[in-house]
């Protein structure tokens, strides 16, 4: 007979298929086993749809009676968009339940205790993978801002472009594929006004199958043209309260959302903390920051980076191109980020840093 870990891994693979459509709910997978045979499986597909347990029970039908249910997250015990999963499990006559992670959400927790009280055998297999799959959801439970991923590509000598004010190709194709997967997996992608002005990028996911991110452009005084390519699909421009009403209206008439923050005192730029609060209110739970050196430092200096992808090309640019970090003594660890992985990405080197306690894979 196969082990509990075998079937839990099956459930974890199902949960992986959920993507970000489940937010603000977690990604969950479930497998029903009778004897040594899988009789039902499912995953939570999107917010408001049936939970993983219910999907698996629907597939199993009468075979669910007496079966063992493997689910990556403790079954919920509350009425939300759908009825409690504990109710469906009990109604189907499931014999026992094995879950991978306790539910930390106070409004939904308690499912395991409810099932035990009703006479079911319930076991917990502590699964770090289940927690990693739900890092953004877990972050959302304890923070009023999105989970922020910073991505930077630089030359071997630390330049982000060969010449100031000119677009430069830096990364290899494998690195660009990773970047596009990050766009697919995040609700929104953000750049600064200078990057928009020089590159006018599409900021779309073109190299990985899946969803497209909302686009956010920092433009303190609304000096950009709302007709630029970057604003062609769902997008917002973030400005300060010093920007004129006339300019705000110009963007709104072009179908671009406008987010207004107080000016950051010294440089009159968009205040990052306030911007992130507004993005979370708009339902953006994960944000990919692809801006230049100034934008990167703005997020790092305000301690608003949870994960950092640093691609380093073997190319050497020299010249007057801007460096990623102007300070010679710069240390990423000073911002509470720890190197968790270092590997090759085509001809590039990729270093990945996580904020302490960040569980993203």
């Amino acid at each position: 007979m196969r082990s509990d870990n075998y079937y839990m891994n099956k459930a974890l693979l199902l949960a992986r298929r959920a993507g970000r459509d489940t937010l603000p709910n977690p990604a969950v997978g479930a497998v029903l086993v009778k004897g040594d045979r899988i009789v039902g499986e499912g995953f939570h597909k999107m917010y408001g749809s049936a939970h993983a347990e219910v999907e698996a029970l629907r597939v199993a039908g009468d075979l669910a009676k007496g079966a063992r249910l493997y689910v990556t997250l403790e079954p919920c015990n509350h009425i939300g968009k759908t009825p409690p999963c504990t109710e469906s499990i009990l109604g189907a006559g499931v014999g026992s339940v094995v879950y991978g992670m306790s539910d930390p959400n106070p409004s939904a927790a308690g499912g395991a205790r409810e099932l035990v009280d009703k006479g079911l055998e319930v076991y917990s297999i502590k699964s770090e993978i289940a927690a990693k799959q739900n890092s953004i959801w877990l972050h959302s439970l304890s923070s009023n801002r999105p989970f922020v991923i910073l991505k930077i590509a630089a030359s071997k000598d630390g330049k982000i472009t060969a010449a100031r004010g000119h677009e430069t190709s830096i990364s290899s194709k494998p690195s660009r594929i990773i970047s596009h997967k990050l766009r697919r997996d995040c609700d929104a992608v953000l750049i600064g006004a200078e990057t928009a002005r020089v590159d006018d990028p599409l900021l779309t996911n073109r190299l990985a199958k899946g969803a497209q991110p909302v686009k956010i452009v920092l433009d303190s005084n609304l000096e950009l043209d709302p007709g630029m390519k970057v604003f062609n699909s769902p997008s917002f421009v973030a400005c300060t309260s010093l920007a004129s009403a006339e300019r705000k209206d110009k963007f709104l008439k072009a179908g671009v959302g406008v987010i207004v923050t107080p000016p950051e005192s010294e440089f009159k730029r968009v205040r990052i903390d306030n911007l992130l609060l507004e993005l979370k209110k708009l339902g953006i739970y994960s944000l990919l920051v692809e801006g230049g050196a100034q934008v990167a430092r703005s997020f790092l200096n305000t301690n608003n980076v949870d994960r950092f992808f640093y691609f380093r090309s073997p190319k050497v640019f020299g010249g007057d191109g801007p460096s990623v970090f102007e300070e010679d003594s710069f240390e990423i660890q000073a911002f509470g980020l720890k190197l968790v992985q270092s590997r090759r990405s085509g001809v590039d080197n990729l270093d990945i840093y996580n904020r302490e306690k960040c569980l993203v894979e």
Side-chain angles (χ1 to χ4, degrees):
M1 185 173 179
R2 293 190 172 103
S3 67
D4 286 340
N5 283 328
Y6 173 85
Y7 293 113
M8 183 58 70
N9 286 335
K10 289 278 189 183
L12 288 166
L13 287 172
L14 287 165
R16 194 182 274 275
R17 293 166 59 183
R20 57 182 167 87
D21 291 335
T22 62
L23 290 167
N25 284 349
V28 183
V31 173
L32 273 162
V33 179
K34 202 160 191 178
D36 207 18
R37 175 188 165 204
I38 294 177
V39 296
E41 58 181 38
F43 65 96
H44 184 39
K45 295 182 176 67
M46 61 184 298
Y47 177 61
S49 69
H51 289 187
E53 301 94 317
V54 175
E55 291 281 4
L57 290 168
R58 187 177 295 155
V59 172
D62 293 340
L63 293 174
K65 190 170 184 179
R68 173 166 286 198
L69 172 66
Y70 294 85
V71 60
T72 58
L73 178 70
E74 176 186 8
C76 69
N77 191 41
H78 83 303
I79 299 175
K81 291 280 185 181
T82 61
C85 287
T86 50
E87 189 177 285
S88 300
I89 292 167
L90 293 167
V94 169
S96 59
V97 174
V98 181
Y99 65 94
M101 182 178 75
S102 297
D103 194 332
N105 186 353
S107 66
R113 173 52 53 192
E114 172 69 11
L115 294 174
V116 169
D117 289 346
K118 291 293 170 47
L120 264 68
E121 294 180 353
V122 179
Y123 307 93
S124 172
I125 298 179
K126 188 175 181 181
S127 172
E128 188 174 322
I129 296 176
K132 286 179 177 178
Q133 286 181 336
N134 281 296
S135 283
I136 292 172
W137 172 68
L138 290 169
H139 175 87
S140 75
L141 295 177
S142 59
S143 177
N144 54 9
R145 67 163 175 81
F147 187 93
V148 176
I149 299 173
L150 173 63
K151 188 224 82 175
I152 291 177
S155 64
K156 189 174 183 179
D157 54 340
K159 304 288 186 179
I160 57 173
T161 61
R164 194 172 296 275
H166 294 276
E167 182 180 1
T168 306
S169 176
I170 298 176
S171 302
S172 63
K173 186 169 183 180
S175 296
R176 292 197 299 273
I177 290 173
I178 293 172
S179 298
H180 281 231
K181 286 180 178 178
L182 289 172
R183 290 179 182 178
R184 174 197 65 192
D185 295 338
C186 287
D187 292 325
V189 57
L190 178 146
I191 60 171
E194 182 62 17
T195 299
R197 189 176 293 110
V198 173
D199 299 349
D200 194 10
L202 290 171
L203 291 184
T204 52
N205 157 35
R206 301 181 298 282
L207 300 177
K209 292 181 180 179
Q212 298 292 345
V214 171
K215 296 177 284 188
I216 316 289
V217 179
L218 303 181
D219 184 11
S220 300
N221 295 311
L222 296 182
E223 295 172 347
L224 296 174
D225 181 353
M228 296 170 69
K229 286 187 299 185
V230 72
F231 297 118
N232 280 352
S233 53
S235 54
F236 291 86
V237 63
C239 66
T240 74
S241 53
L242 300 177
S244 71
E246 181 182 0
R247 288 178 177 172
K248 292 173 192 172
D249 193 50
K250 186 178 179 182
F251 275 89
L252 291 170
K253 285 180 177 176
V256 180
V258 177
I259 301 171
V260 182
T261 79
E264 187 272 317
S265 56
E266 186 179 357
F267 300 106
K268 303 291 189 293
R269 297 173 185 150
V270 170
R271 193 180 290 269
I272 299 300
D273 287 336
N274 293 76
L275 170 64
L276 292 173
L277 289 173
E278 293 304 314
L279 292 180
K280 180 71 180 292
K281 290 176 186 177
L282 290 169
I284 291 173
Y285 293 89
S286 53
L287 176 68
L288 175 63
V289 177
E290 290 195 16
Q294 180 179 297
V295 171
R297 287 195 294 270
S298 295
F299 277 83
L300 287 167
N301 288 336
T302 53
N303 289 313
N304 283 311
V305 175
D306 299 295
R307 200 170 199 215
F308 176 30
F309 283 72
Y310 188 16
F311 296 91
R312 289 173 297 141
S313 166
K315 299 174 183 177
V316 176
F317 289 157
D320 70 343
S323 297
V324 179
F325 305 110
E326 302 293 347
E327 306 88 349
D328 293 335
S329 60
F330 173 84
E331 290 187 7
I332 190 66
Q333 291 83 357
F335 299 97
L337 296 167
K338 178 182 178 182
L339 181 66
V340 294
Q341 188 178 145
S342 189
R343 61 185 171 89
R344 299 287 288 178
S345 175
V347 297
D348 305 326
N349 288 315
L350 169 59
D351 290 336
I352 302 175
Y353 296 81
N354 276 0
R355 182 164 296 282
E356 288 185 31
K357 299 184 180 179
C358 164
L359 293 171
V360 174
E361 292 181 285

